[in-house]
Structures are given as structure tokens and as C-alpha cells.
Amino acid sequence: MSDGNYQHLEETPSEEHSPKADLSNGSIDPVIEGEPFTSYFDEKIPIPEDEQHTWFSFRKLWAFTGPGFLMSIAYLDPGNIESDLQSGSVAGFKLLWVLLVATIIGLLLQRLAARLGVVTGLHLAEVCNRQYPKAPRILLWLMVEIAIIGSDMQEVIGSAIAINLLSVGIIPLWGGVLITIVDTFFFLFLDKYGLRKLEAFFGLLITIMAVTFGYEYIRVSPDQGQLLKGMFFPYCEGCGTRQLEQAVGIVGAVIMPHNMYLHSALVKSREVNRANKKEVREANKYFFIESAIALFISFIINVFVVAVFAEAFFGKTNIEVHNECFNKTSPHSDLFPNNTDTLEVDIYKGGVVLGCFFGPAALYIWAIGILAAGQSSTMTGTYSGQFVMEGFLNLKWSRFARVILTRSIAITPTLFVAIFQDVEHLTGMNDFLNVLQSLQLPFALIPVLTFTSLRPVMNEFANGLGWKIAGGILILIVCSINIYFVVVYVSALGHVVFYVIAALLSVAYMCFVVYLTWQCLVALGLKFLQCGDTVSIHQIMLAEDQPASPIN
């Protein structure tokens, strides 16, 4: 492709890519008719000056606080909570170190996404729109939309189950699914009250999760020695295939593809003069600190859930749980077969067994925590869909239309399963949805490493050699783990038709991943892989000897 097919970030956009932002003055002013480009950025938070504390200021940290906590909600969605409780019931405390490592890897990857948004003034979807040719750009958008819809379905499932538990079964699962439509309108209503109030509301939901799951933790009183051993000793004594698959599932549940796009957009809500490298460096520092604090809190909440089920239900059999529920006259005792098989739990059964062993209060408090997880994740998922659709396609839809479309796609299949199947099939959808999202990870991780490694895009804030190597290794490990998770899931389907379909899809999938990886390797410095004018993004390498957009 010719040079004209590539759009540098500082160039005036072509007709094909319009409407685009005018980047000449170091700011981004999206052009869109009717409703603002995105309501989240109608209000930008000013950063106060603090001359007395030049190296670190709590006032500045507070001003930057918000985007990281919204991002961290993806680490607390119902899919993660289910992965946590299954980890505890399957492996006890032995996989806590996997959760810790996955959270640290997530923090490092989120750092790249946040830096991209701060330095360029564009979020990841917008950068992809400007840098990739049209066909890969459309494919990327489709893959990320699939991930967002999959995540939204998990949130709908979690909320519906929580509503069913809180209503003592009076509201059926399909009724709970329909009720989740209401939160869409609530979100649109809440968004009008200002950015800081919206962020405070998300903080409230995180607090509810901390209190509810913390109550379960205190009520069960896990063995602290075993907990610390499982967290800091990377070993799993006596573990087999089932525990290995659960460890892989933890990584897949924690690192979410659409979260990269979300975080790179959320950081644009602060007033940062991108023409001043001191302000950019300061913003990068405070956003990283804030993200670390937010993910530490989310990690503690996840540990609460793992520890509760590790202490109370690891090694339990179905007959033990059945008898306990039967003796407590629980209406849910039939959920557990009268056999000696090892107990298998999900977010629905998790609440039931807590109620049987620790009283009704434990069940209802668990349901409140799941509801908070589902509702908070729903709202951040809505933002992700908004940023991705507008960034990739420059669509001029109203927020109402976008939310209704994505929520309708998520609710329709979930509603059919809820109506015609039981809770076992509804919660069983989570496994499929985790696989679906695992497949989309390369389409977020590879682009974010590619663009944060390019000096013409990031100027002096481009990844150094250490970050390029570490980032590449981390992404390779994460993507390999998730591909293994997908292979295990498909192998368990046990039908030749599924194998054939999976094989055909795998060819197209791997071709696209190889294409993105090729582009990334060139960005990381392997220039011998360039093929002249065959791929337009490689033209950016020619700009490395030219001055980038000014940062003083």
C-alpha cells in the first residue's frame, strides 16, 4: 500500500476516515452531529496545582482517581466471581497465587492502555481506526464487539440469578433477565449527573461488593496460614487436569479484552496538556498508582470469594451438601444429587450452599454482592461498547440507540435459555462465554503493545526495550493460556461437527492473529520482517527519523 493509505496521528484525516479529531493543537475535538461524541467527556476533571508536594500529591492523586476503579470493575464481574468460587471449591487455597499473578499481569497491561490514551489523546479504538487498513479495522471491531456482548451476557446472567435468589424464587430467571433492561435506562439517567457523581456511584457498588463478600469471609473464617501459603507459594500439590483447567480459567476471567479499550478511553476524562511532557509524565504516574490501588482492592474482594469456598466447600461431596440443605429445610436441596461426586458450584449454587451451611443471611448477602457485580459491570460494558463503536466506525448514533442495540443482542439469547431451560443451562453459558472472550484477547493485547512501542505514536513515552520484551512475553503467555482453555473446552464437546467447525474457524482466526503479530513484531524493532509497501502500518517505521508531534 502507498503512504497515502496510512494516517499519522498528527496528520489531517482523509475523507475516508472522517470525522476525525484535529490534533494540531495537542487536543482532541471530535466532530459529530447531534449528541456529543461521548457523554463521559462532556466534563473534564481539572488537575489542581500543588507546588508544596512536587514528587507526590494526594490532591492530584484524588483528581486522577476514577478511571482505574471503573476499569477494575471488569475484574469483579459475575464471570470472575464464578471463577473464584470454582477455584476455591476445586483446588482450595492452592490457586490463589495464580489469581495474584494474573492480577499483576493485568495491571501491567492496563498500564500500556492508559499510557496510550494519555500520550496520544486517543483511545485504542481510535488509534486502530487511524493506523490499520480498512479490512483489519472492521475485523477488529467485530471481534471486540463479540467480547463486549459476551461480557454483557454474563452480567445479565449474574443479575438475573441475584434477583431470583433475593426474591426467594418468586421472580423467575427470565423475569430477572427482563428486569436488567431497566438498568439500561437507569444508566442513561445517571450519566446526566456529572462525571464525579458517576464515578462515586461506581465506588459505592465496589464498596457493596467488598462489604458483602467480606461478610461471607468473616462468617466462614478461613485458615489464614493456608491462605497466605496458597497466595505466595506458586505450587499446587496434588493438582491434576481439573485444577490446571481451573487455573487457566482464572487467567481468562481476569484479563478482559474490552477492558484495554475501556481504560485507554477513561483516562481522557482528565485535563492533561499533552504538549507538556511534564504533565503527561505526571498523568502516567498517577494513573498507574490509581490503577494499582483499584486492582489491589479488586484482588482482595476476589480473595474473599476464593477463601470462603476453599475453607467451607473444598472436598465436599454432593451428598454432604444435599443432606445439609435437606436438614435445614432448604427448597434447593434437589439441586445437589444424592451421590458421592465432588461438589460443583456456580454463582447460583454458591449462594444456595452458603445459605444451607451459614444461614439465610449468608445467601441474601451473597445475592446482593452478585447483583452489585452485575450492575456495575453492565455500566462499564456499556461504556466499552460506546467507545469501541465510535472509535472504530465513527458512528453518529445516540447513546440510547447504542445501548439498546448491544443490550438487546445480549439479552435475546439469554432470555431464551432462561425461558426454555433451567438455571443449570443458564450458568453453564458462562463457560462458553469465557471461551468466547478468551478468543478475543489477542485483538486487544497485540494492538496495544504495537502502538505503545511506536515512537512516532508515543514520542519519548514509547516502550523501551525492556517493556517491549516483557510485554511481548506476557502477551504470548496470556494468549497461549487462553488458547489452551479454548482447546480444552472444544475437546469436551465430543462431537465431530463441532471439531470441523472449530477447525475451519481456527484457520481464519490464526491468519488474522498472525497478521496482527507480524505488524507488532515490526513495531517492536524487527524491521527485517517489513515487506516494502505491502502493509500500510509499516510506513510508520519510516517516520522514526522524522520529528514526531511536538511535546515540549
Side-chain angles (χ1 to χ4, degrees):
M1 295 184 183
S2 64
D3 291 0
N5 291 330
Y6 176 77
Q7 293 293 317
H8 294 282
L9 290 182
E10 67 272 14
E11 288 176 350
T12 303
S14 63
E15 268 183 36
E16 177 192 349
H17 294 273
S18 61
K20 298 285 189 185
D22 177 11
L23 302 175
S24 59
N25 62 353
S27 62
I28 179 167
D29 296 310
V31 179
I32 193 166
E33 296 174 1
E35 197 175 5
F37 184 72
T38 166
S39 60
Y40 190 86
F41 305 130
D42 289 348
E43 174 190 356
K44 284 189 180 288
I45 305 302
I47 307 302
E49 294 294 333
D50 193 345
E51 297 179 357
Q52 293 182 348
H53 305 89
T54 55
W55 185 79
F56 180 82
S57 167
F58 281 104
R59 288 182 62 207
K60 288 188 176 182
L61 178 61
W62 178 250
F64 282 106
T65 296
F69 281 88
L70 268 67
M71 169 274 295
S72 72
I73 285 171
Y75 291 71
L76 295 168
D77 69 355
N80 271 287
I81 301 301
E82 181 161 283
S83 175
D84 292 338
L85 64 90
Q86 290 174 343
S87 170
S89 63
V90 167
F93 299 98
K94 299 173 186 175
L95 296 180
L96 276 174
W97 66 272
V98 177
L99 177 62
L100 175 61
V101 171
T103 304
I104 293 173
I105 292 175
L107 173 62
L108 298 178
L109 295 175
Q110 296 294 162
R111 173 187 179 271
L112 297 180
R115 285 172 68 88
L116 180 68
V118 170
V119 174
T120 66
L122 301 167
H123 58 72
L124 182 55
E126 291 172 318
V127 177
C128 289
N129 187 21
R130 285 156 175 78
Q131 310 296 25
Y132 285 118
K134 186 173 183 179
R137 189 169 70 235
I138 298 300
L139 281 175
L140 270 177
W141 168 69
L142 288 174
M143 295 299 101
V144 179
E145 285 290 354
I146 288 172
I148 292 171
I149 291 169
S151 176
D152 208 18
M153 289 177 68
Q154 286 185 315
E155 291 141 15
V156 169
I157 291 170
S159 296
I161 287 173
I163 292 170
N164 179 265
L165 289 173
L166 287 171
S167 66
V168 200
I170 295 175
I171 299 177
L173 289 172
W174 60 265
V177 172
L178 291 177
I179 289 174
T180 60
I181 298 176
V182 176
D183 64 41
T184 301
F185 299 99
F186 176 71
F187 168 74
L188 292 174
F189 172 76
L190 182 69
D191 197 27
K192 300 293 185 182
Y193 279 84
L195 180 56
R196 287 307 249 178
K197 292 184 177 65
L198 180 67
E199 291 174 346
F201 180 73
F202 281 108
L204 173 64
L205 292 177
I206 293 174
T207 302
I208 291 173
M209 284 184 270
V211 171
T212 53
F213 298 137
Y215 166 84
E216 307 288 359
Y217 181 85
I218 294 172
R219 182 72 177 81
V220 174
S221 300
D223 185 321
Q224 301 303 303
Q226 290 297 316
L227 186 150
L228 293 175
K229 180 181 177 182
M231 188 180 299
F232 296 110
F233 286 86
Y235 180 66
C236 190
E237 183 180 357
C239 292
T241 303
R242 191 179 178 201
Q243 287 75 23
L244 175 62
E245 293 174 1
Q246 189 60 50
V248 171
I250 290 173
V251 178
V254 167
I255 303 174
M256 309 284 281
H258 64 278
N259 218 27
M260 299 293 135
Y261 291 87
L262 174 68
H263 199 195
S264 65
L266 295 175
V267 296
K268 292 166 55 180
S269 60
R270 268 52 182 177
E271 285 186 359
V272 177
N273 179 11
R274 294 191 303 108
N276 186 326
K277 65 181 181 182
K278 180 183 177 183
E279 287 195 25
V280 173
R281 187 177 293 110
E282 182 180 74
N284 285 332
K285 178 180 74 174
Y286 283 109
F287 276 131
F288 180 72
I289 294 172
E290 185 239 359
S291 297
I293 295 171
L295 289 187
F296 174 75
I297 293 173
S298 73
F299 172 71
I300 294 299
I301 295 173
N302 282 311
V303 168
F304 285 163
V305 178
V306 175
V308 164
F309 284 83
E311 180 69 27
F313 306 113
F314 174 56
K316 282 282 194 297
T317 60
N318 284 324
I319 191 169
E320 290 178 276
V321 178
H322 175 88
N323 291 338
E324 185 70 23
C325 291
F326 182 80
N327 292 335
K328 295 290 179 61
T329 64
S330 169
H332 305 291
S333 58
D334 292 340
L335 279 174
F336 308 99
N338 197 9
N339 58 40
T340 56
D341 292 346
T342 303
L343 174 68
E344 295 184 1
V345 289
D346 48 47
I347 53 177
Y348 183 81
K349 288 182 179 178
V352 171
V353 294
L354 284 172
C356 292
F357 280 80
F358 300 101
L363 184 152
Y364 295 126
I365 291 173
W366 168 263
I368 291 171
I370 295 297
L371 186 61
Q375 293 306 292
S376 58
S377 301
T378 290
M379 296 179 186
T380 54
T382 301
Y383 270 135
S384 299
Q386 177 179 339
F387 297 142
V388 165
M389 188 175 289
E390 290 176 335
F392 275 111
L393 304 181
N394 292 302
L395 288 184
K396 302 177 182 180
W397 290 14
S398 68
R399 285 182 301 119
F400 181 83
R402 285 190 303 270
V403 172
I404 290 299
L405 173 66
T406 55
R407 179 45 59 93
S408 298
I409 296 173
I411 280 181
T412 302
T414 311
L415 183 61
F416 276 105
V417 173
I419 292 174
F420 297 108
Q421 301 289 344
D422 54 18
V423 69
E424 297 276 353
H425 292 84
L426 191 62
T427 54
M429 287 179 68
N430 273 326
D431 292 333
F432 170 74
L433 295 172
N434 282 333
V435 168
L436 191 67
Q437 292 177 83
S438 295
L439 283 170
Q440 314 310 320
L441 263 177
F443 308 125
L445 302 186
I446 295 176
V448 79
L449 179 62
T450 300
F451 297 128
T452 55
S453 298
L454 289 171
R455 189 173 180 83
V457 173
M458 298 290 290
N459 300 287
E460 66 179 72
F461 297 97
N463 295 329
L465 180 61
W467 267 102
K468 289 179 180 179
I469 295 173
I473 292 173
L474 287 178
I475 289 174
L476 177 63
I477 292 172
V478 170
C479 291
S480 299
I481 287 173
N482 281 276
I483 292 300
Y484 172 80
F485 181 57
V486 173
V487 170
V488 168
Y489 179 81
V490 173
S491 300
L493 295 177
H495 200 290
V496 68
V497 175
F498 292 125
Y499 296 154
V500 172
I501 294 173
L504 293 175
L505 292 176
S506 296
V507 173
Y509 176 84
M510 290 307 300
C511 286
F512 191 32
V513 171
V514 168
Y515 167 81
L516 293 176
T517 304
W518 172 37
Q519 307 263 24
C520 185
L521 290 174
V522 174
L524 293 176
L526 302 181
K527 298 184 182 181
F528 66 89
L529 292 175
Q530 293 183 55
C531 296
D533 294 333
T534 54
V535 182
S536 63
I537 192 173
H538 293 167
Q539 301 300 327
I540 198 165
M541 306 305 296
L542 302 177
E544 289 191 342
D545 296 326
Q546 302 172 5
S549 54
I551 292 185
N552 301 319

PDB file of all heavy atoms in Angstrom, residues 169-189:
ATOM      1  N   GLY A 169     -37.050 -17.024  44.694  1.00  0.00           N
ATOM      2  CA  GLY A 169     -37.589 -17.751  43.558  1.00  0.00           C
ATOM      3  C   GLY A 169     -38.902 -17.216  43.026  1.00  0.00           C
ATOM      4  O   GLY A 169     -39.440 -17.760  42.042  1.00  0.00           O
ATOM      5  N   ILE A 170     -39.456 -16.179  43.670  1.00  0.00           N
ATOM      6  CA  ILE A 170     -40.732 -15.630  43.201  1.00  0.00           C
ATOM      7  C   ILE A 170     -40.575 -15.032  41.804  1.00  0.00           C
ATOM      8  O   ILE A 170     -41.434 -15.209  40.929  1.00  0.00           O
ATOM      9  CB  ILE A 170     -41.249 -14.560  44.190  1.00  0.00           C
ATOM     10  CG1 ILE A 170     -41.574 -15.210  45.540  1.00  0.00           C
ATOM     11  CG2 ILE A 170     -42.475 -13.843  43.623  1.00  0.00           C
ATOM     12  CD1 ILE A 170     -41.973 -14.216  46.613  1.00  0.00           C
ATOM     13  N   ILE A 171     -39.496 -14.304  41.598  1.00  0.00           N
ATOM     14  CA  ILE A 171     -39.210 -13.771  40.259  1.00  0.00           C
ATOM     15  C   ILE A 171     -38.404 -14.814  39.500  1.00  0.00           C
ATOM     16  O   ILE A 171     -37.286 -15.150  39.893  1.00  0.00           O
ATOM     17  CB  ILE A 171     -38.418 -12.454  40.336  1.00  0.00           C
ATOM     18  CG1 ILE A 171     -39.220 -11.394  41.094  1.00  0.00           C
ATOM     19  CG2 ILE A 171     -38.058 -11.958  38.943  1.00  0.00           C
ATOM     20  CD1 ILE A 171     -38.480 -10.084  41.282  1.00  0.00           C
ATOM     21  N   PRO A 172     -38.957 -15.385  38.429  1.00  0.00           N
ATOM     22  CA  PRO A 172     -38.228 -16.415  37.680  1.00  0.00           C
ATOM     23  C   PRO A 172     -36.994 -15.831  37.001  1.00  0.00           C
ATOM     24  O   PRO A 172     -36.841 -14.612  36.907  1.00  0.00           O
ATOM     25  CB  PRO A 172     -39.262 -16.893  36.656  1.00  0.00           C
ATOM     26  CG  PRO A 172     -40.193 -15.737  36.487  1.00  0.00           C
ATOM     27  CD  PRO A 172     -40.254 -15.059  37.827  1.00  0.00           C
ATOM     28  N   LEU A 173     -36.148 -16.718  36.528  1.00  0.00           N
ATOM     29  CA  LEU A 173     -34.906 -16.261  35.894  1.00  0.00           C
ATOM     30  C   LEU A 173     -35.186 -15.385  34.681  1.00  0.00           C
ATOM     31  O   LEU A 173     -34.521 -14.370  34.462  1.00  0.00           O
ATOM     32  CB  LEU A 173     -34.057 -17.468  35.496  1.00  0.00           C
ATOM     33  CG  LEU A 173     -33.426 -18.236  36.662  1.00  0.00           C
ATOM     34  CD1 LEU A 173     -32.781 -19.524  36.167  1.00  0.00           C
ATOM     35  CD2 LEU A 173     -32.400 -17.371  37.367  1.00  0.00           C
ATOM     36  N   TRP A 174     -36.205 -15.759  33.881  1.00  0.00           N
ATOM     37  CA  TRP A 174     -36.492 -14.949  32.701  1.00  0.00           C
ATOM     38  C   TRP A 174     -37.011 -13.569  33.110  1.00  0.00           C
ATOM     39  O   TRP A 174     -36.765 -12.576  32.429  1.00  0.00           O
ATOM     40  CB  TRP A 174     -37.499 -15.649  31.783  1.00  0.00           C
ATOM     41  CG  TRP A 174     -38.834 -15.953  32.397  1.00  0.00           C
ATOM     42  CD1 TRP A 174     -39.230 -17.101  32.975  1.00  0.00           C
ATOM     43  CD2 TRP A 174     -39.953 -15.050  32.472  1.00  0.00           C
ATOM     44  NE1 TRP A 174     -40.538 -17.006  33.424  1.00  0.00           N
ATOM     45  CE2 TRP A 174     -41.006 -15.757  33.114  1.00  0.00           C
ATOM     46  CE3 TRP A 174     -40.187 -13.741  32.056  1.00  0.00           C
ATOM     47  CZ2 TRP A 174     -42.259 -15.183  33.348  1.00  0.00           C
ATOM     48  CZ3 TRP A 174     -41.427 -13.165  32.288  1.00  0.00           C
ATOM     49  CH2 TRP A 174     -42.442 -13.885  32.926  1.00  0.00           C
ATOM     50  N   GLY A 175     -37.698 -13.520  34.276  1.00  0.00           N
ATOM     51  CA  GLY A 175     -38.142 -12.223  34.782  1.00  0.00           C
ATOM     52  C   GLY A 175     -36.962 -11.361  35.197  1.00  0.00           C
ATOM     53  O   GLY A 175     -36.943 -10.149  34.968  1.00  0.00           O
ATOM     54  N   GLY A 176     -35.952 -12.002  35.815  1.00  0.00           N
ATOM     55  CA  GLY A 176     -34.752 -11.273  36.186  1.00  0.00           C
ATOM     56  C   GLY A 176     -34.005 -10.741  34.977  1.00  0.00           C
ATOM     57  O   GLY A 176     -33.460  -9.630  35.010  1.00  0.00           O
ATOM     58  N   VAL A 177     -34.001 -11.518  33.894  1.00  0.00           N
ATOM     59  CA  VAL A 177     -33.363 -11.063  32.650  1.00  0.00           C
ATOM     60  C   VAL A 177     -34.069  -9.814  32.127  1.00  0.00           C
ATOM     61  O   VAL A 177     -33.419  -8.844  31.712  1.00  0.00           O
ATOM     62  CB  VAL A 177     -33.375 -12.183  31.587  1.00  0.00           C
ATOM     63  CG1 VAL A 177     -32.896 -11.658  30.243  1.00  0.00           C
ATOM     64  CG2 VAL A 177     -32.497 -13.348  32.030  1.00  0.00           C
ATOM     65  N   LEU A 178     -35.401  -9.833  32.149  1.00  0.00           N
ATOM     66  CA  LEU A 178     -36.155  -8.672  31.659  1.00  0.00           C
ATOM     67  C   LEU A 178     -35.939  -7.444  32.554  1.00  0.00           C
ATOM     68  O   LEU A 178     -35.865  -6.314  32.052  1.00  0.00           O
ATOM     69  CB  LEU A 178     -37.647  -9.012  31.599  1.00  0.00           C
ATOM     70  CG  LEU A 178     -38.063 -10.029  30.533  1.00  0.00           C
ATOM     71  CD1 LEU A 178     -39.557 -10.333  30.640  1.00  0.00           C
ATOM     72  CD2 LEU A 178     -37.740  -9.511  29.124  1.00  0.00           C
ATOM     73  N   ILE A 179     -35.805  -7.685  33.846  1.00  0.00           N
ATOM     74  CA  ILE A 179     -35.581  -6.557  34.761  1.00  0.00           C
ATOM     75  C   ILE A 179     -34.267  -5.856  34.458  1.00  0.00           C
ATOM     76  O   ILE A 179     -34.138  -4.644  34.648  1.00  0.00           O
ATOM     77  CB  ILE A 179     -35.630  -7.054  36.224  1.00  0.00           C
ATOM     78  CG1 ILE A 179     -37.070  -7.419  36.608  1.00  0.00           C
ATOM     79  CG2 ILE A 179     -35.098  -5.993  37.190  1.00  0.00           C
ATOM     80  CD1 ILE A 179     -37.207  -8.054  37.967  1.00  0.00           C
ATOM     81  N   THR A 180     -33.282  -6.621  33.968  1.00  0.00           N
ATOM     82  CA  THR A 180     -31.985  -5.995  33.679  1.00  0.00           C
ATOM     83  C   THR A 180     -32.075  -4.952  32.573  1.00  0.00           C
ATOM     84  O   THR A 180     -31.158  -4.137  32.415  1.00  0.00           O
ATOM     85  CB  THR A 180     -30.945  -7.053  33.271  1.00  0.00           C
ATOM     86  OG1 THR A 180     -31.393  -7.747  32.096  1.00  0.00           O
ATOM     87  CG2 THR A 180     -30.710  -8.056  34.389  1.00  0.00           C
ATOM     88  N   ILE A 181     -33.177  -4.974  31.808  1.00  0.00           N
ATOM     89  CA  ILE A 181     -33.365  -3.925  30.798  1.00  0.00           C
ATOM     90  C   ILE A 181     -33.491  -2.572  31.480  1.00  0.00           C
ATOM     91  O   ILE A 181     -33.037  -1.545  30.963  1.00  0.00           O
ATOM     92  CB  ILE A 181     -34.621  -4.218  29.952  1.00  0.00           C
ATOM     93  CG1 ILE A 181     -34.455  -5.546  29.197  1.00  0.00           C
ATOM     94  CG2 ILE A 181     -34.889  -3.080  28.974  1.00  0.00           C
ATOM     95  CD1 ILE A 181     -35.688  -5.953  28.414  1.00  0.00           C
ATOM     96  N   VAL A 182     -34.091  -2.568  32.677  1.00  0.00           N
ATOM     97  CA  VAL A 182     -34.317  -1.321  33.397  1.00  0.00           C
ATOM     98  C   VAL A 182     -33.007  -0.620  33.715  1.00  0.00           C
ATOM     99  O   VAL A 182     -32.919   0.612  33.684  1.00  0.00           O
ATOM    100  CB  VAL A 182     -35.109  -1.590  34.694  1.00  0.00           C
ATOM    101  CG1 VAL A 182     -35.282  -0.318  35.507  1.00  0.00           C
ATOM    102  CG2 VAL A 182     -36.464  -2.204  34.349  1.00  0.00           C
ATOM    103  N   ASP A 183     -31.951  -1.412  34.020  1.00  0.00           N
ATOM    104  CA  ASP A 183     -30.699  -0.761  34.410  1.00  0.00           C
ATOM    105  C   ASP A 183     -30.089   0.018  33.255  1.00  0.00           C
ATOM    106  O   ASP A 183     -29.278   0.915  33.464  1.00  0.00           O
ATOM    107  CB  ASP A 183     -29.708  -1.766  34.996  1.00  0.00           C
ATOM    108  CG  ASP A 183     -29.262  -2.823  33.997  1.00  0.00           C
ATOM    109  OD1 ASP A 183     -29.022  -2.498  32.826  1.00  0.00           O
ATOM    110  OD2 ASP A 183     -29.136  -3.986  34.407  1.00  0.00           O
ATOM    111  N   THR A 184     -30.486  -0.329  32.019  1.00  0.00           N
ATOM    112  CA  THR A 184     -30.020   0.445  30.871  1.00  0.00           C
ATOM    113  C   THR A 184     -30.542   1.877  30.956  1.00  0.00           C
ATOM    114  O   THR A 184     -29.796   2.844  30.793  1.00  0.00           O
ATOM    115  CB  THR A 184     -30.497  -0.199  29.551  1.00  0.00           C
ATOM    116  OG1 THR A 184     -29.995  -1.529  29.473  1.00  0.00           O
ATOM    117  CG2 THR A 184     -30.015   0.597  28.357  1.00  0.00           C
ATOM    118  N   PHE A 185     -31.829   2.009  31.240  1.00  0.00           N
ATOM    119  CA  PHE A 185     -32.416   3.345  31.348  1.00  0.00           C
ATOM    120  C   PHE A 185     -31.880   4.069  32.585  1.00  0.00           C
ATOM    121  O   PHE A 185     -31.661   5.283  32.547  1.00  0.00           O
ATOM    122  CB  PHE A 185     -33.939   3.233  31.415  1.00  0.00           C
ATOM    123  CG  PHE A 185     -34.545   2.610  30.203  1.00  0.00           C
ATOM    124  CD1 PHE A 185     -34.898   1.278  30.181  1.00  0.00           C
ATOM    125  CD2 PHE A 185     -34.759   3.367  29.047  1.00  0.00           C
ATOM    126  CE1 PHE A 185     -35.453   0.702  29.052  1.00  0.00           C
ATOM    127  CE2 PHE A 185     -35.319   2.791  27.915  1.00  0.00           C
ATOM    128  CZ  PHE A 185     -35.662   1.465  27.920  1.00  0.00           C
ATOM    129  N   PHE A 186     -31.647   3.316  33.652  1.00  0.00           N
ATOM    130  CA  PHE A 186     -31.075   3.921  34.852  1.00  0.00           C
ATOM    131  C   PHE A 186     -29.690   4.472  34.558  1.00  0.00           C
ATOM    132  O   PHE A 186     -29.321   5.553  35.017  1.00  0.00           O
ATOM    133  CB  PHE A 186     -31.014   2.884  35.977  1.00  0.00           C
ATOM    134  CG  PHE A 186     -30.343   3.402  37.224  1.00  0.00           C
ATOM    135  CD1 PHE A 186     -30.973   4.346  38.015  1.00  0.00           C
ATOM    136  CD2 PHE A 186     -29.098   2.938  37.602  1.00  0.00           C
ATOM    137  CE1 PHE A 186     -30.364   4.831  39.160  1.00  0.00           C
ATOM    138  CE2 PHE A 186     -28.481   3.413  38.740  1.00  0.00           C
ATOM    139  CZ  PHE A 186     -29.119   4.361  39.529  1.00  0.00           C
ATOM    140  N   PHE A 187     -28.932   3.732  33.778  1.00  0.00           N
ATOM    141  CA  PHE A 187     -27.587   4.178  33.401  1.00  0.00           C
ATOM    142  C   PHE A 187     -27.660   5.483  32.615  1.00  0.00           C
ATOM    143  O   PHE A 187     -26.908   6.421  32.871  1.00  0.00           O
ATOM    144  CB  PHE A 187     -26.896   3.094  32.578  1.00  0.00           C
ATOM    145  CG  PHE A 187     -25.635   3.560  31.919  1.00  0.00           C
ATOM    146  CD1 PHE A 187     -24.488   3.761  32.666  1.00  0.00           C
ATOM    147  CD2 PHE A 187     -25.602   3.816  30.561  1.00  0.00           C
ATOM    148  CE1 PHE A 187     -23.327   4.203  32.062  1.00  0.00           C
ATOM    149  CE2 PHE A 187     -24.451   4.254  29.961  1.00  0.00           C
ATOM    150  CZ  PHE A 187     -23.309   4.446  30.715  1.00  0.00           C
ATOM    151  N   LEU A 188     -28.557   5.537  31.643  1.00  0.00           N
ATOM    152  CA  LEU A 188     -28.700   6.749  30.834  1.00  0.00           C
ATOM    153  C   LEU A 188     -29.122   7.932  31.716  1.00  0.00           C
ATOM    154  O   LEU A 188     -28.695   9.070  31.493  1.00  0.00           O
ATOM    155  CB  LEU A 188     -29.730   6.515  29.733  1.00  0.00           C
ATOM    156  CG  LEU A 188     -29.330   5.510  28.645  1.00  0.00           C
ATOM    157  CD1 LEU A 188     -30.505   5.271  27.700  1.00  0.00           C
ATOM    158  CD2 LEU A 188     -28.124   6.001  27.864  1.00  0.00           C
ATOM    159  N   PHE A 189     -29.946   7.653  32.707  1.00  0.00           N
ATOM    160  CA  PHE A 189     -30.396   8.702  33.617  1.00  0.00           C
ATOM    161  C   PHE A 189     -29.246   9.166  34.509  1.00  0.00           C
ATOM    162  O   PHE A 189     -29.014  10.363  34.693  1.00  0.00           O
ATOM    163  CB  PHE A 189     -31.554   8.152  34.458  1.00  0.00           C
ATOM    164  CG  PHE A 189     -31.998   9.059  35.566  1.00  0.00           C
ATOM    165  CD1 PHE A 189     -32.769  10.187  35.301  1.00  0.00           C
ATOM    166  CD2 PHE A 189     -31.654   8.793  36.884  1.00  0.00           C
ATOM    167  CE1 PHE A 189     -33.178  11.024  36.325  1.00  0.00           C
ATOM    168  CE2 PHE A 189     -32.059   9.623  37.911  1.00  0.00           C
ATOM    169  CZ  PHE A 189     -32.828  10.746  37.632  1.00  0.00           C
TER     170      PHE A 189
END
